[in-house]
Amino acid sequence: MANIKELSKIPERLTSGHRLCSGCGASIAVRQVLMGTTSPVVTAAATGCLEVATTIYPYTAWAVPFIHNAFENVAATISGAETAYRALKKKGKITKDIKFVAFGGDGGTYDIGLQSLSGALERGHNFVYVCYDNEAYMNTGIQRSGATPTGASTTTAPAGKVSYGKPQIRKDLTAIVAAHHIPYAAQGCISHWNDLVTKSQKAFAIEGPAFLNVFSPCHRGWRYPQSDTIKIAKLAVETGFWPLIEFENGKWSFTYRPKERKPVVEFLKTQGRFKHLFKEENKPVLGRIQKDIDTHWNYLEKLTQATSA
Amino acid sequence: MAKKGWKDIPIGGLIEEAGTAKEYKTGSWRTFRPVIDKAKCINCLQCWMHCPDSCIKVKDSKMEGFDYDYCKGCGICASVCPVKCIKMKPDVKQ
């Protein structure tokens, strides 16, 4: 468990003056994740809102070393940096204990950067990979990604007369990552900061690759008032839309279980990207989304039971 | 920041100093400004934890106010405050 008063004494690693939208979830995710360690960190970020808006030349909002990357190779870059660090440490040229962390959006993680992430996990580098999941390519203007949920309207899966938005379900990236049998993978959410910081502390402490999938709402892409970022993130957890689970040494477990799961419409109705689902002709889609969430929740329940023994 | 010629720029466009975004004041983006009633504040630091722009000043675990040089006025602090002591007011010249 993290103590907020203690955390407030850690110097900020991401300074003010970056140009992310006001009310952006990504910078909240970065701040909370970096509270998980007091060691020096080396960061890198895949192309995305975070990378573009925090490092507009000649400024940088990072108070820690930061490596600029292309879209698909942040995991490869950070594994290279980590390998160089290990070599230098062996030769005695570095004595400090340094942590390595890579940030990617859902586009740079679920889709474009998946191969480099998979490679880095398989090679077993000692690093933390953080995906800030805002469920579409927000930087280029809200195109659908592998993380976009069913029914969301995006510019490449627009809702209209013949379509209700994205018809497919999103991929379960945390499970894909866990299938690499790495020591630690977890899903966090910026509204549950204590849960997320605790997970981040675990991820940084563990030897070997660790992965955090952090739910971070985007008010431009999701169409909601900018002050509601945390409220909506909380609803995603309370409705079971984003379960807070972790995978540690082969065991799955829930780190937070809502007392009673709210119906998913509570979450969907807060956002403009799902507005069309409430029209009469799209009512069956709402039912399908709820059913998908229930099925996934039951699957997770069984998974946690099966691996807890 | 003064404009630089190509000879002044480090190889590879490296930025040699950390955290230079501090020189870029984003406070002008704001249309609403957060105002706190310190009498009601319980110093729970929820506003600090959820500020996307690291604009809540904290000293000795106490909430000290806002950094209006950078605050973009999103209103997350007002929405997460459990005692509702932060109000968003139109940011107009007095």
Side-chain angles (χ1 to χ4, degrees), chain A:
Chain A
M1 290 291 269
N3 179 328
I4 199 163
K5 308 250 148 143
E6 291 302 316
L7 293 177
S8 73
K9 289 171 189 156
I10 302 175
E12 292 280 353
R13 265 79 170 259
L14 185 73
T15 66
S16 312
H18 60 69
R19 280 174 255 182
L20 286 161
C21 303
S22 74
C24 178
S27 50
I28 306 176
V30 170
R31 289 184 62 227
Q32 295 186 356
V33 167
L34 291 181
M35 283 171 202
T37 179
T38 48
S39 305
V41 287
V42 172
T43 56
T47 303
C49 289
L50 179 73
E51 182 250 14
V52 170
T54 55
T55 58
I56 296 175
Y57 196 78
Y59 303 105
T60 174
W62 297 85
V64 289
F66 175 89
I67 314 170
H68 183 95
N69 271 274
F71 220 141
E72 68 285 358
N73 63 349
V74 66
T77 305
I78 208 78
S79 44
E82 191 264 345
T83 309
Y85 159 72
R86 266 190 293 133
L88 289 168
K89 204 165 186 189
K90 214 169 167 183
K91 287 181 186 166
K93 289 184 180 170
I94 294 180
T95 46
K96 272 191 273 186
D97 183 28
I98 301 172
K99 304 287 182 192
F100 291 83
V101 52
F103 292 97
D106 55 289
T109 309
Y110 279 68
D111 301 344
I112 299 176
L114 187 60
Q115 43 77 22
S116 74
L117 173 62
S118 176
L121 296 175
E122 187 266 330
R123 290 189 300 272
H125 293 281
N126 187 13
F127 76 114
V128 181
Y129 191 101
V130 183
C131 169
Y132 68 95
D133 184 359
N134 51 27
E135 310 202 307
Y137 289 85
M138 297 312 183
N139 182 39
T140 46
I142 325 166
Q143 288 83 16
R144 86 187 267 295
S145 77
T148 307
T150 315
S153 178
T154 62
T155 50
T156 45
K161 279 188 192 138
V162 291
S163 158
Y164 56 85
K166 182 178 160 176
Q168 299 88 354
I169 55 166
R170 71 168 169 220
K171 55 171 116 156
D172 187 357
L173 184 71
T174 316
I176 295 172
V177 168
H180 290 76
H181 300 286
I182 59 167
Y184 191 75
Q187 283 189 180
C189 181
I190 55 168
S191 58
H192 292 64
W193 63 269
N194 205 333
D195 181 77
L196 180 55
V197 175
T198 310
K199 281 172 178 164
S200 158
Q201 284 169 340
K202 274 189 194 174
F204 277 112
I206 272 170
E207 197 69 24
F211 175 81
L212 295 171
N213 200 354
V214 185
F215 193 76
S216 41
C218 164
H219 69 86
R220 290 296 304 128
W222 297 12
R223 308 290 181 206
Y224 65 83
Q226 55 188 1
S227 56
D228 289 354
T229 299
I230 301 298
K231 206 168 87 186
I232 283 170
K234 199 172 259 172
L235 272 174
V237 174
E238 295 294 331
T239 55
F241 185 84
W242 190 255
L244 296 182
I245 47 166
E246 70 177 3
F247 172 80
E248 194 178 4
N249 298 323
K251 284 177 188 168
W252 286 93
S253 55
F254 281 94
T255 52
Y256 171 78
R257 218 187 271 260
K259 278 201 189 80
E260 207 166 316
R261 245 178 334 119
K262 287 183 184 161
V264 74
V265 289
E266 301 266 311
F267 171 73
L268 302 180
K269 75 180 179 197
T270 55
Q271 299 154 55
R273 63 174 174 158
F274 296 117
K275 194 174 67 188
H276 55 282
L277 296 180
F278 293 89
K279 283 187 192 153
E280 204 45 52
E281 67 268 27
N282 286 331
K283 284 277 154 71
V285 183
L286 285 179
R288 213 187 101 198
I289 295 173
Q290 183 65 61
K291 208 173 131 244
D292 284 346
I293 287 174
D294 294 341
T295 313
H296 186 62
W297 193 272
N298 290 338
Y299 162 75
L300 288 174
E301 292 275 13
K302 285 189 189 131
L303 195 62
T304 51
Q305 280 164 19
T307 55
S308 68

Side-chain angles (χ1 to χ4, degrees), chain B residues 62-83:
Chain B
K62 294 262 180 334
M63 197 285 190
E64 293 267 295
F66 306 96
D67 194 339
Y68 292 117
D69 280 350
Y70 305 101
C71 170
K72 293 169 188 161
C74 64
I76 288 179
C77 48
S79 111
V80 297
C81 180
V83 290

